[in-house]
Each structure stands twice: as structure tokens, then as C-alpha cells.
Amino acid sequence: MILEFCLLLLIIVLFMFDFRISYNEMDVVPYARAVFNDQWLTHDWYLNLTMPYRYFFSYPVGYFAETFGIIETISGGRLVTYLLIAVPLLGLINSLRTYSDGFLYFFALILFFMFFRNGSGAGEWMVGGLETKVFAYGFALLALTAFLKKQLWAGQAFAGLALSFHLLVGIYSLFCLLPVLYVYQREAKDFYVKFFRTLPLFLSTAAVGIFSIANELLFSEGGSSQLGWDFYVNIRVPHHTLPAAFNVEKWIKLGVFAGLNLLFFLKSKKQTIRLIASYALFSFIISLVGIGVFFFHSSGHYFKYYFFRFGDIMLPLMSLLLLVAFLSETQASFIRKRKKQLQLAVMVVSVIILIPFARTFITDFSTSAGQIKARTSGDVALETWVKANVSKSAEIITQPDDDFFYINYERPLFVSWKHSPQNNTDIMEWHRRLVLLNRGQEFSKVNQFKQNYVQLTETEILAIANTYPSVAYIIMPDTIALKLPVAFKTDKSVLYKVNRLGDRLIK
């Protein structure tokens, strides 16, 4: 068992570990640090927004980011997420396999991480970076394996944790667990007694998620304009949310995986296979709801619920595992008689697949392990000067695509494309700030800012500073000359001071 766990962990690391910091990590980890230490960047707009669903993640991660550093926290946190995903995956394999087919399940996971590590078309991923949803997916899978084993107390606890770490993943996980719980209650005479006895365990682990839902229902702008969410869905994340943004392959894969799981559910005689297939089919139902909303409702803001998120990752994962289980059930004699030949063939193919990933990993580790932060830096000299000379209360305007600003400068940021809020009103403010940096023009993609940002005039910059008094500096390429005081200049960038002196210079 230990050897198999190590093998599975190795597979995940080879396919998923990246010696670069992801954009998602540069969103949630600095926010976590600000939640844990509310004195870190008190004048930053984004880092001081209220996002209750992140609290379960933010306090422990924020502690490590504050104590050991953001880079070190990301590196160590990733290893924790790999462990968290490996445990339930091994549990699913053990619940499905027979004595002779274990090697086939590991091959199925190799195929999954090779072809579907970023989902089946909606860009969803389950493991890779230190992010809230990774924990939610891990606990969702742990809840499934626990309920399959009829361990109600563990299932309740893990289902609650999934909800607390990520609302949508947790809610969709609960929905997909319904058929599993239905079969459970039919077979256990004292099911409801045990269920209500363990319900407080769910309520305690789900407390943060329940609070977030209550906060959304009580304080959201349900009756007012949902323009902020329309911006978010149509401009910020259409590649994750809108059916119109998906390619044809996404729909083909969705149909194939749904058909396979329906086949497994109808034809398999093994209850575990049928239950996992029903779990996958319920994730498909969520996608069907999204398709229905797309065709029958004109308001785009409903896609803030990411209808294609859960199925995008769960359908291919469950389909590959269940395909092995179904073949092992229907072709048991063939697999048993040719076990050695199959093992050899699978091992050879697996090695052929894994060798390039192993070589890339070793090369990156030996040459770049100590350069993770350097890969995010656009101007080290400027970053060093800012951290030594600029007040932590001074807000800085920079290019909206500078996703690594918080880790490199550790100063308040006016706005960035990546750091988008999770509240209708706050998203509208995010959009308003970006429009100002785009010289008053609407936008649909981040690369549209590049031309307009560098054409900002002194008058436009000072108008922003007058509207937002905390703005004190703006970073421009060294090729741009403004009639503003130069605070510091490098061979790449110029840091201009935005104050009344600049106002007088313009006049």
C-alpha cells in the first residue's frame, strides 16, 4: 500500500508540479497573508475585501506565508495538496479493483493527468497549485470514498470541509453524493439515526461555507443590477463559464463521458461501479443545467455558478477509472489469463509516457528550483528600491497584467486583471478602475490594456489620483516620458510620483 501511494504521488508530481508560480497562487496566497495579518497592506483595496469562503484556507496558509514567506508557503503547500489528492484517488482505486487489475488503474490515472489535467474543455483543474479549490476537491473525493465504505461520520466531515474550502465545489459535491446516500439509506436500517447523529459533525466542518452562503443570501444585491457579475462572466472568465466559448471537442468529450457512465450504470452488476457512475452522471446533470441556462436565459450573470466546473474534471476522472473497472468485470477471465503480458505492456507504455515528464522535472529542478521568484520579476532593481523607500500605505498603479505585483513589491496595488473580487458591487469597482487605466474605454481582454495604458496622459493620471487619494505612484516603461516627478528610474521602468507637484508641472 505504501509503495502504491508513493507511485501515485510520483505520477501527480511529474505531471502537475511546475517551477513557476501560478496566477491563481498570486491571487489567493497574498490574500491569505492579508487575512492572517490585517496590518500587512492595510491600504490595499483588493486584499482588504471580504471573501468569507476563503477564510478556512486563508488563516492557516496566511500564517505560513507571514512566518516563512510566500514562495516557501507555495512550495510546501503544493506538496500538501498532492498528498490530499493522492489519498482519495488511492481509496477509489481500492474500492474498485480486484487482485489482478490494480496496475490498470494507475495507467488510467496516468492517462487522466496526461490528457485531462486541465479538464475536458472548460479549463478546470483539480490539482497543481496551492489554491482553495484543490482542498475542496480533495475533501470531496474523500467524502465520496467514505460514503462508498459506509463511513458516515467521515463522509459528513469531509463533505463539510469541501463546502468550507470552496462553495461551488462543495455544493456540487453534495449534489453528486445524493444517489450514493440514497442507496446507503435503502440498505442501512438505522441510516437516519446515524445520519442525524453525525449531522453536527457536518455542520461544524461546513460552518465557514454555511456562513458564506448566508452572507451571500443576506447581503448580496439580489434585487439590484447584476452588472458586476455580467462583467465577471463575459469579460474575466468566459473560457471557464460560457458554453459559447468552448470548442467542439468539449461537447464531444462531454457526450462521450456521459454515455460511458450511463453504460456503466446500466450494465454493471457491481454496486460500487454503479454508485460512482451515478456520481459522475450527476456532475453531468449540473452541466446540462448550464446548457439550459445558456439557451433559455439571457442574463449572463447566472454563469457565475460555473456550471461546467465540477463535471469538467470529474467526468473524465471517473470515466477512466470506471472503464478499467467495467472491463475488469466483463473481461475478468481475459485479464486474469494475460495478466503478466498486460502488466509488461502497461509498464512499457507508462515508462515511455513518463520519461519526458521525468526529464523535464529533473532539468527544471536542477537549474531553476532556486529561481522561482526570479521568473516573476520584471524589474528587480525597481522592486528592491520600492520595498526599501516607498511607504506601505502608498498605492501604486501598474500595468493591469502585472499578476505578481504583490510578491515582488509588497505594496498596495490600484487594480490588476487577475485580482478580481467575488462580489457584484466589488466587481463593478474592479471594472471601473480598469476602465480608467484603459483611458475610459471598455475592454474584453487583458491584452487590450497594453496600448492604452502607456498612452495615459498626466491629466488622466492625476484625475485617477484625485478620485482615489491613496494613489501615490505609477509605473511606466522607461520609453514613456511624463511631466511628473521621477521617484526612481531603471533601464526598464520609471516610477513616477503622483502628487500636486505633478499637477503644477502640467499647468
Side-chain angles (χ1 to χ4, degrees):
M1 184 67 71
I2 295 177
L3 181 61
E4 291 179 342
F5 179 77
C6 293
L7 176 60
L8 179 52
L9 196 60
L10 176 64
I11 291 171
I12 295 174
V13 169
L14 290 181
F15 280 106
M16 303 310 300
F17 193 87
D18 195 334
F19 287 96
R20 295 168 295 181
I21 301 173
S22 74
Y23 301 132
N24 296 79
E25 290 167 326
M26 279 301 92
D27 178 4
V28 298
V29 179
Y31 182 83
R33 182 178 177 183
V35 169
F36 177 78
N37 178 10
D38 59 6
Q39 299 300 311
W40 179 41
L41 295 176
T42 56
H43 290 78
D44 186 273
W45 168 69
Y46 176 77
L47 294 183
N48 288 280
L49 294 177
T50 300
M51 301 184 200
Y53 81 94
R54 288 186 180 179
Y55 288 167
F56 225 48
F57 172 90
S58 293
Y59 279 103
V61 171
Y63 165 77
F64 286 103
E66 178 72 16
T67 306
F68 302 103
I70 289 178
I71 298 293
E72 292 77 9
T73 298
I74 290 173
S75 300
R78 285 179 180 179
L79 296 178
V80 173
T81 63
Y82 300 154
L83 292 170
L84 183 61
I85 295 297
V87 169
L89 287 180
L90 189 58
L92 281 176
I93 290 175
N94 289 334
S95 67
L96 288 168
R97 69 177 176 180
T98 62
Y99 177 76
S100 59
D101 62 2
F103 63 97
L104 292 174
Y105 289 101
F106 285 91
F107 183 65
L109 289 179
I110 288 176
L111 294 179
F112 170 74
F113 285 113
M114 184 176 182
F115 294 108
F116 302 105
R117 53 184 166 177
N118 292 313
S120 55
E124 180 66 347
W125 51 275
M126 181 176 66
V127 62
L130 179 60
E131 231 261 54
T132 56
K133 69 178 179 181
V134 181
F135 288 85
Y137 275 119
F139 287 121
L141 290 174
L142 284 170
L144 173 60
T145 55
F147 283 125
L148 289 174
K149 297 176 182 177
K150 294 182 169 55
Q151 297 173 346
L152 198 58
W153 64 272
Q156 294 267 37
F158 291 138
L161 286 170
L163 184 65
S164 284
F165 273 99
H166 197 287
L167 283 183
L168 290 180
V169 173
I171 290 172
Y172 292 152
S173 167
L174 290 174
F175 177 74
C176 293
L177 284 170
L178 290 177
V180 181
L181 290 172
Y182 173 74
V183 172
Y184 191 166
Q185 64 87 24
R186 288 185 60 184
E187 296 181 348
K189 294 181 180 179
D190 58 346
F191 171 82
Y192 290 105
V193 174
K194 291 181 179 179
F195 181 85
F196 285 107
R197 282 180 179 174
T198 56
L199 186 59
L201 186 58
F202 169 80
L203 295 175
S204 61
T205 57
V208 173
I210 294 171
F211 171 77
S212 300
I213 294 172
N215 184 74
E216 177 69 19
L217 293 175
L218 294 174
F219 301 106
S220 66
E221 311 81 357
S224 62
S225 168
Q226 295 293 311
L227 187 59
W229 284 117
D230 285 332
F231 290 142
Y232 181 80
V233 167
N234 293 289
I235 297 175
R236 179 64 180 81
V237 290
H239 53 293
H240 292 313
T241 58
L242 294 181
F246 303 153
N247 57 34
V248 176
E249 290 182 11
K250 163 66 180 176
W251 305 115
I252 295 174
K253 293 173 185 175
L254 188 68
V256 169
F257 291 141
L260 281 174
N261 282 279
L262 184 60
L263 172 68
F264 303 148
F265 180 79
L266 295 175
K267 296 297 184 180
S268 177
K269 296 179 180 179
K270 292 186 176 180
Q271 181 171 278
T272 302
I273 294 178
R274 290 166 58 85
L275 289 177
I276 296 177
S278 67
Y279 185 92
L281 287 171
F282 266 54
S283 73
F284 173 68
I285 291 174
I286 300 169
S287 298
L288 288 180
V289 172
I291 294 172
V293 171
F294 179 74
F295 281 109
F296 299 109
H297 206 291
S298 59
S299 297
H301 66 263
Y302 285 108
F303 288 97
K304 68 182 180 181
Y305 297 114
Y306 284 80
F307 296 110
F308 303 93
R309 159 169 272 159
F310 204 71
D312 197 53
I313 205 74
M314 287 299 177
L315 273 171
L317 174 62
M318 301 305 175
S319 297
L320 289 171
L321 292 176
L322 291 179
L323 181 60
V324 173
F326 188 71
L327 291 175
S328 297
E329 178 187 3
T330 57
Q331 305 296 323
S333 177
F334 176 85
I335 293 175
R336 187 166 53 251
K337 290 179 181 178
R338 295 167 177 80
K339 178 184 175 183
K340 291 184 178 181
Q341 294 94 318
L342 287 172
Q343 280 183 324
L344 179 62
V346 167
M347 183 179 70
V348 170
V349 174
S350 298
V351 170
I352 292 173
I353 292 173
L354 290 174
I355 281 178
F357 289 93
R359 289 183 61 185
T360 301
F361 179 86
I362 293 171
T363 301
D364 283 352
F365 185 83
S366 61
T367 61
S368 303
Q371 303 176 15
I372 294 179
K373 184 180 182 303
R375 292 186 176 190
T376 72
S377 300
D379 192 335
V380 176
L382 180 60
E383 295 160 9
T384 302
W385 189 89
V386 166
K387 285 190 285 189
N389 297 279
V390 172
S391 167
K392 287 192 175 183
S393 64
E395 191 168 87
I396 300 175
I397 298 175
T398 188
Q399 290 270 14
D401 63 349
D402 189 352
D403 301 306
F404 303 101
F405 181 88
Y406 287 123
I407 187 174
N408 290 328
Y409 290 90
E410 296 189 17
R411 291 298 181 271
L413 173 64
F414 179 63
V415 70
S416 88
W417 173 267
K418 176 59 189 175
H419 299 90
S420 55
Q422 301 296 306
N423 170 280
N424 183 65
T425 301
D426 294 334
I427 295 172
M428 291 179 68
E429 173 61 23
W430 168 81
H431 175 265
R432 186 180 300 113
R433 291 178 180 226
L434 286 174
V435 167
L436 289 173
L437 297 191
N438 205 37
R439 305 192 69 197
Q441 298 181 29
E442 285 293 336
F443 56 89
S444 59
K445 296 179 181 179
V446 65
N447 57 14
Q448 292 176 328
F449 292 98
K450 290 187 179 296
Q451 182 176 356
N452 284 334
Y453 177 83
V454 297
Q455 292 180 2
L456 282 168
T457 65
E458 293 87 346
T459 301
E460 290 168 333
I461 294 169
L462 289 172
I464 295 173
N466 286 332
T467 305
Y468 300 92
S470 58
V471 170
Y473 297 91
I474 184 169
I475 299 173
M476 282 288 184
D478 69 307
T479 55
I480 304 300
L482 296 173
K483 294 178 180 179
L484 293 173
V486 175
F488 189 73
K489 185 175 182 180
T490 71
D491 59 350
K492 296 178 181 179
S493 311
V494 182
L495 180 69
Y496 290 101
K497 190 169 180 60
V498 181
N499 58 15
R500 292 301 171 187
L501 175 59
D503 198 359
R504 289 198 299 272
L505 285 173
I506 292 174
K507 294 177 181 179

